[in-house]
Amino acid sequence: MVHCLPAATVSRLPLYHQILKSLLDRGRDFVSSDTLAKLMSIDPSLVRKDLASLGSGTQRLGYHVATTMASIETILGMRNTKEAFLVGVGSLGRALLAYRGFCDYGLKIVAAFDTDNSKVGQTIGDAKVMAAEKLPGLARRLGIRMGIITVPAGVAQHVAEVMVESGITAIWNFAPVMLEVPEFVLIRNENLAAGLARLSYDYEQRLNNTKEGEGEQP
Amino acid sequence: MVHCLPAATVSRLPLYHQILKSLLDRGRDFVSSDTLAKLMSIDPSLVRKDLASLGSGTQRLGYHVATTMASIETILGMRNTKEAFLVGVGSLGRALLAYRGFCDYGLKIVAAFDTDNSKVGQTIGDAKVMAAEKLPGLARRLGIRMGIITVPAGVAQHVAEVMVESGITAIWNFAPVMLEVPEFVLIRNENLAAGLARLSYDYEQRLNNTKEGEGEQP
């Protein structure tokens, strides 16, 4: 059993998996670290380090595609179904409910919750929208361990606390706030605005540099 | 003018901005690095380093809330409107079109494009969905410089190439592939699956450790 892979390696595993899957679909049995590196736009030495940390050995022909895929699936628990509740049926909540890519990771959003009664009763993706106050009872009854937060920033902490009190121990947070949760709760913050901020910053820098460059012309 | 802030600092700026805004709304004029650190769940020394790199000086009472906010807005170009085209009106594309948080960063998605004719003519958020083949002409006519890609992985490279040929020089890519673009094109990859992979991995690790712990009992 592999323990404690570097976080950066874990982040790259979905992309490895996707590339390996497309190679397998095209009938490829083996792939070299050079080919993988090119497809991922990273250095071949990093590919070798990543795959060595999974316990994938190289053979003369390269990495065995199907075996390497299977290792990734085991490590990420892609074959183990993880049932989750989602709270906050706004535009982002709806998108996550409708997104089909998560089932590849064994994630199944079984129900969604919102305080807006006009949304209650709707079905989005495979999940039914329920009244927020039903979350604690249902989470305990169904033994739900994973929660997804897509509410506005101002109420996210409250939602996290309700989730934790209801037995949820892994939270995927899309609200742009840092949540305070007990030590035993796993938390993963996703921040779309941070990505946009990075792109905006680089964009502004370039505009400014261009203007400065123009200023230097006679 | 501040040049070349560390990427990690830039990623934290949206959160600083949000916290400062809520402090300003509550009538606070100054804030200490300790208070900011607590609200961000990071170390006070990191807050001081981040804000020093923006050129924000501390006074006896702490950082001036409004001035620090204004610095962040300038650095991220939050007051400069950036018009963007989005390609791929699936569930994620729809969510981004409907999401109201982007306008805080000056991002305005002015039109969306899809190859599915049944979607053409719909209005989502403030954007109209148009036929994909209209992108090059419109991008050139309107001088669009930013593109958002929310198409499936298999067609993302093609979309990126069309964008670049149409004069787009900054791409925010949500498709789970690495895109090959010319050196002068800014690119920012957003990968929802990578975040989920990290959470799943930690979750599986904990499950395995729990099981191993149980095995050790007599």
Side-chain angles (χ1 to χ4, degrees):
Chain A
M1 187 60 216
V2 184
H3 283 294
C4 287
L5 292 177
T9 299
V10 174
S11 296
R12 282 188 289 270
L13 294 184
L15 194 51
Y16 281 113
H17 188 267
Q18 192 187 10
I19 289 169
L20 292 167
K21 191 166 181 287
S22 68
L23 292 170
L24 196 70
D25 288 347
R26 283 180 230 151
R28 287 276 294 272
D29 288 328
F30 289 91
V31 62
S32 68
S33 53
D34 283 351
T35 303
L36 279 174
K38 197 167 179 308
L39 292 167
M40 310 237 338
S41 311
I42 60 176
D43 200 75
S45 64
L46 192 54
V47 170
R48 287 189 288 269
K49 209 179 128 205
D50 280 346
L51 296 190
S53 70
L54 308 190
S56 270
T58 336
Q59 302 182 26
R60 199 174 50 88
L61 298 163
Y63 298 95
H64 190 250
V65 174
T67 312
T68 311
M69 268 182 76
S71 299
I72 294 174
E73 286 167 12
T74 305
I75 288 167
L76 297 182
M78 290 170 77
R79 292 169 187 170
N80 304 348
T81 304
K82 289 169 282 287
E83 297 193 322
F85 277 179
L86 177 145
V87 179
V89 187
S91 56
L92 186 60
R94 276 175 197 279
L96 297 185
L97 288 168
Y99 189 56
R100 309 209 166 275
F102 295 146
C103 60
D104 288 342
Y105 294 87
L107 180 68
K108 196 175 164 214
I109 307 177
V110 291
F113 298 85
D114 204 288
T115 51
D116 178 351
N117 283 329
S118 71
K119 292 173 183 168
V120 172
Q122 293 179 8
T123 300
I124 308 163
D126 295 323
K128 199 152 190 172
V129 182
M130 309 181 118
E133 62 266 26
K134 296 209 168 156
L135 187 147
L138 268 175
R140 281 195 208 96
R141 186 143 60 86
L142 300 176
I144 301 295
R145 295 281 170 265
M146 199 174 277
I148 303 171
I149 297 182
T150 47
V151 295
V155 290
Q157 179 63 37
H158 171 69
V159 169
E161 287 165 13
V162 171
M163 283 181 168
V164 172
E165 283 162 22
S166 311
I168 284 172
T169 54
I171 293 178
W172 199 15
N173 174 41
F174 286 82
V177 282
M178 296 289 170
L179 301 176
E180 284 184 39
V181 291
E183 198 78 30
F184 65 88
V185 177
L186 292 176
I187 196 146
R188 167 88 202 155
N189 291 300
E190 214 66 53
N191 189 348
L192 289 181
L196 179 56
R198 291 273 296 277
L199 187 65
S200 294
Y201 172 74
D202 292 341
Y203 191 77
E204 291 296 317
Q205 287 286 317
R206 197 175 50 184
L207 278 185
N208 288 329
N209 290 340
T210 312
K211 278 179 205 150
E212 280 166 22
E214 281 165 5
E216 283 160 16
Q217 303 293 321
Chain B
M1 188 58 217
V2 185
H3 282 295
C4 288
L5 291 177
T9 299
V10 175
S11 295
R12 282 189 289 272
L13 295 184
L15 194 51
Y16 281 112
H17 188 267
Q18 192 187 11
I19 289 169
L20 292 167
K21 191 165 180 288
S22 68
L23 292 170
L24 196 71
D25 288 346
R26 284 179 228 151
R28 287 276 295 273
D29 287 328
F30 289 91
V31 63
S32 69
S33 52
D34 283 352
T35 303
L36 279 175
K38 199 170 176 308
L39 291 167
M40 310 240 333
S41 311
I42 60 175
D43 200 74
S45 64
L46 192 54
V47 170
R48 288 189 287 271
K49 209 179 127 205
D50 280 346
L51 297 190
S53 71
L54 306 191
S56 269
T58 336
Q59 303 182 27
R60 200 174 49 87
L61 298 162
Y63 298 95
H64 190 250
V65 174
T67 312
T68 311
M69 267 182 76
S71 299
I72 294 173
E73 287 168 12
T74 305
I75 288 167
L76 296 183
M78 290 170 77
R79 293 169 185 169
N80 305 348
T81 304
K82 288 169 282 289
E83 297 193 320
F85 277 179
L86 177 145
V87 179
V89 187
S91 57
L92 186 60
R94 276 176 196 278
L96 297 184
L97 289 168
Y99 188 55
R100 309 210 165 275
F102 294 147
C103 60
D104 287 343
Y105 294 88
L107 179 69
K108 198 175 163 215
I109 307 177
V110 290
F113 298 85
D114 205 287
T115 50
D116 178 351
N117 282 331
S118 70
K119 293 173 182 167
V120 172
Q122 293 179 7
T123 300
I124 308 163
D126 295 323
K128 198 150 192 173
V129 182
M130 309 179 118
E133 62 266 25
K134 295 208 170 156
L135 189 147
L138 268 174
R140 281 194 208 97
R141 186 142 60 87
L142 300 175
I144 301 294
R145 295 282 171 265
M146 199 174 278
I148 303 171
I149 297 182
T150 48
V151 295
V155 289
Q157 178 64 37
H158 172 69
V159 169
E161 286 165 13
V162 171
M163 284 181 167
V164 172
E165 283 162 21
S166 311
I168 284 172
T169 54
I171 293 178
W172 199 13
N173 174 39
F174 285 82
V177 281
M178 297 288 170
L179 301 176
E180 283 183 41
V181 292
E183 199 77 30
F184 65 88
V185 177
L186 292 176
I187 197 145
R188 168 85 202 157
N189 291 300
E190 215 66 52
N191 188 348
L192 289 180
L196 179 57
R198 292 273 296 274
L199 187 64
S200 294
Y201 172 72
D202 293 341
Y203 191 77
E204 291 295 318
Q205 286 286 316
R206 197 173 52 183
L207 278 186
N208 288 330
N209 290 339
T210 311
K211 277 180 208 153
E212 281 167 22
E214 281 165 6
E216 284 159 15
Q217 304 293 321

